[in-house]
Amino acid sequence: MKQDMIVILDMGSTENTVIARQIRDMGVYSEIHPHDITPEALKALNNVKGIILNGGENRVVDGVAVDVDPAIYDCGYPVMSIDHPTAKCDEKYDTMPAEDVIKKFVFDTCKSEANWNMKNFIADQVELIRKQVGDKKVLLALSGGVDSSVVAALLIKAIGKQLVCVHVNHGLMRKNESENVIDVFKNQLDAELIYVDATDRFLDLLAGVDEPEQKRKIIGKEFIEVFAEEARKLEGIDFLGQGTIYPDIIESGTKTAKAVKSHHNVGGLPEDLQFGLVEPLAQLFKDEVRACGVELGLPAEMVYRQPFPGPGLGVRCLGAITRERLNALREADAILREEFAKAGLDKKVWQYFTVIPDFKAVGVRNHERSMGYMVVIRAVNTIDAMTAEIERLDYDFLEKVVDRITTEVPSVNRVCYELTKKPVATIEFE
């Protein structure tokens, strides 16, 4: 069953995702597209029922107010404008309209049906994937995280054995992560999985690099290089599957919004990429990705697995990465995750992890002055990864974690708990 769609055109608003979520919560699918979408591209979208022109504080770019192609108004769709002075719109609002106003536009003006659900979304994506890929093969980076796992399941449903999964151990994985990925996907799910140990290759490239964006770009570019090398060994690989989700795209910046940070699957792609991209989750928020995984039949422990960034511990080993700090970080992270599981917090807290800054502080070990690293613990709760609240951890629990880390990781002599919400902070430190 085709899902009706309301298209939101980004005219510089910071509330695009709010409106999109409101409409999806009404049972109608909604996508956000750039203001300069062409009429041809708009008409090529499936089952468009109406358009919302969403203006805002970022509408002026380089001294000029962005606008849509005038031909958009002749496409035959009802148009509602928020903060956008044009007489051609069916409905105009100078401020953010209430939810009931949007609901009236969606259902009464646009005659949309409330048929947005994961079953229909998956059916649509399966059809689109098959149409895009044909009889070719897709190469997928399978980290074992939620996004890549859901993409893998969706691609398997759509094209079966045409999917080739590649797990790259870049040396920035959590403790035993690669071993678990191999066990689950190759041994249990019988996926066609290629394992590449590129630890030295990545760490050599990252040596001495302390700028966060440069680290992300290096990791992203090297991922593509590894995939290209694996693709040359295979026949018929024309596409690269990616677990890009909507927050990745937003935080990497748009034409009317500055970048928060680049993501390895958005900002790191080279211009001469030889693969076509298959990104079936690109319009989903994190909670919707999980719902998609449940609908696809993935096990709960995989669907609700803690999020892990594509660059891995590379963005948690702050500053220039060293093997010593990386190993300390990996051990501290494993201790934290073990204690969260023992306390039942792993089912309560959305994301929890450790980071290690690039400096040492004075401490006392074995009755002598010693210089050691500081571990910072972060634990947050969120629904869609666009905002996040801090988990108020019990002090007795924190003291237990501190004791274990400082005892079992000799190079660490301080542990702190970080208390900043998103915004103003982001969830990750880099």
Side-chain angles (χ1 to χ4, degrees):
M1 182 178 185
K2 293 290 186 183
Q3 299 170 110
D4 291 343
M5 184 198 300
I6 300 296
V7 174
I8 299 171
L9 296 187
D10 178 13
M11 309 285 288
S13 175
T14 59
E15 304 291 337
N16 293 313
T17 58
V18 174
I19 297 177
R21 293 305 298 262
Q22 284 182 343
I23 295 172
R24 292 187 189 187
D25 288 344
M26 296 173 191
V28 178
Y29 185 53
S30 178
E31 285 187 359
I32 304 167
H33 288 271
H35 69 276
D36 57 356
I37 188 173
T38 65
E40 293 76 20
L42 182 65
K43 292 178 180 178
L45 299 175
N46 289 327
N47 282 30
V48 175
K49 292 295 183 178
I51 302 170
I52 295 178
L53 306 179
N54 195 28
E57 59 191 62
N58 296 320
R59 190 181 164 206
V60 177
V61 178
D62 296 329
V64 179
V66 301
D67 208 341
V68 298
D69 186 329
I72 292 292
Y73 300 114
D74 299 325
C75 290
Y77 306 117
V79 179
M80 182 173 83
S81 173
I82 302 172
D83 190 27
H84 184 65
T86 175
K88 293 191 176 183
C89 296
D90 299 287
E91 301 176 40
K92 295 180 293 183
Y93 297 90
D94 293 331
T95 58
M96 184 75 151
E99 187 172 344
D100 58 343
V101 174
I102 296 177
K103 187 173 184 179
K104 180 179 178 181
F105 174 75
V106 169
F107 292 108
D108 295 347
T109 304
C110 300
K111 310 299 181 185
S112 303
E113 292 186 33
N115 55 10
W116 156 245
N117 56 57
M118 277 302 151
K119 184 177 181 180
N120 288 340
F121 173 82
I122 290 170
D124 282 353
Q125 289 302 318
V126 165
E127 180 181 338
L128 290 171
I129 291 167
R130 288 173 178 170
K131 182 178 179 181
Q132 179 184 8
V133 174
D135 61 354
K136 304 296 183 181
K137 290 184 179 180
V138 178
L139 189 64
L140 173 68
L142 182 55
S143 68
V146 177
D147 300 340
S148 68
S149 297
V150 174
V151 166
L154 186 53
L155 288 171
I156 288 170
K157 183 178 180 66
I159 58 175
K161 292 296 185 179
Q162 292 171 242
L163 175 66
V164 179
C165 298
V166 176
H167 176 67
V168 178
N169 181 359
H170 48 24
L172 304 169
M173 306 294 289
R174 291 175 290 196
K175 190 174 183 177
N176 297 326
E177 192 96 48
S178 290
E179 292 83 353
N180 292 336
V181 168
I182 293 170
D183 180 59
V184 171
F185 286 94
K186 189 171 185 177
N187 300 339
Q188 298 180 32
L189 300 182
D190 194 31
E192 186 174 351
L193 177 64
I194 297 172
Y195 172 70
V196 181
D197 187 351
T199 298
D200 291 338
R201 180 170 171 174
F202 275 84
L203 295 185
D204 287 348
L205 285 172
L206 290 166
V209 179
D210 59 1
E211 206 284 315
E213 286 298 281
Q214 189 179 358
K215 287 200 292 187
R216 286 179 174 270
K217 300 272 187 192
I218 288 172
I219 294 169
K221 184 177 184 297
E222 196 62 17
F223 256 108
I224 299 303
E225 292 296 329
V226 173
F227 292 150
E229 291 175 10
E230 294 303 319
R232 294 187 195 105
K233 303 174 186 176
L234 303 167
E235 294 183 358
I237 298 289
D238 281 23
F239 294 94
L240 178 67
Q242 292 198 136
T244 307
I245 65 175
Y246 197 65
D248 296 343
I249 297 173
I250 296 172
E251 291 190 334
S252 293
T254 65
K255 295 174 183 177
T256 52
K258 294 181 179 179
V260 177
K261 59 184 176 184
S262 66
H263 287 258
H264 76 287
N265 50 2
V266 179
L269 298 176
E271 294 181 0
D272 61 347
L273 183 65
Q274 297 300 308
F275 302 116
L277 295 181
V278 181
E279 300 176 300
L281 306 181
Q283 290 290 337
L284 295 188
F285 295 94
K286 195 71 179 189
D287 59 313
E288 294 171 333
V289 173
R290 296 186 192 278
C292 184
V294 171
E295 183 66 31
L296 286 165
L298 289 175
E301 58 268 23
M302 182 178 294
V303 172
Y304 293 101
R305 189 176 189 177
Q306 184 188 163
F308 191 56
L313 298 180
V315 293
R316 296 178 181 173
C317 190
L318 307 184
I321 299 169
T322 66
R323 292 179 188 250
E324 181 191 27
R325 273 197 307 124
L326 186 59
N327 290 334
L329 174 60
R330 186 176 287 113
E331 293 299 323
D333 175 79
I335 291 170
L336 181 70
R337 288 188 291 123
E338 183 179 328
E339 291 300 326
F340 261 68
K342 286 181 181 179
L345 290 168
D346 58 328
K347 297 179 178 63
K348 178 185 177 184
V349 181
W350 186 81
Q351 191 170 17
Y352 46 95
F353 56 90
T354 59
V355 303
I356 296 187
D358 187 14
F359 63 82
K360 288 185 175 182
V362 67
V364 178
R365 190 176 290 278
N366 298 324
H367 307 292
E368 295 180 355
R369 171 189 172 96
S370 68
M371 300 299 291
Y373 294 115
M374 175 191 295
V375 166
V376 180
I377 297 172
R378 186 152 171 78
V380 298
N381 285 311
T382 182
I383 294 176
D384 57 13
M386 299 307 298
T387 61
E389 299 291 328
I390 299 300
E391 176 66 19
R392 295 174 179 263
L393 295 176
D394 179 76
Y395 265 62
D396 289 339
F397 172 79
L398 284 173
E399 286 181 357
K400 184 176 182 180
V401 173
V402 171
D403 288 342
R404 280 201 62 190
I405 290 177
T406 54
T407 299
E408 299 175 32
V409 189
S411 60
V412 172
N413 64 8
R414 291 175 187 264
V415 180
C416 300
Y417 188 51
E418 208 276 318
L419 294 171
T420 314
K421 298 186 294 185
K422 177 180 181 179
V424 295
T426 55
I427 293 175
E428 297 288 342
F429 278 61
E430 290 187 344

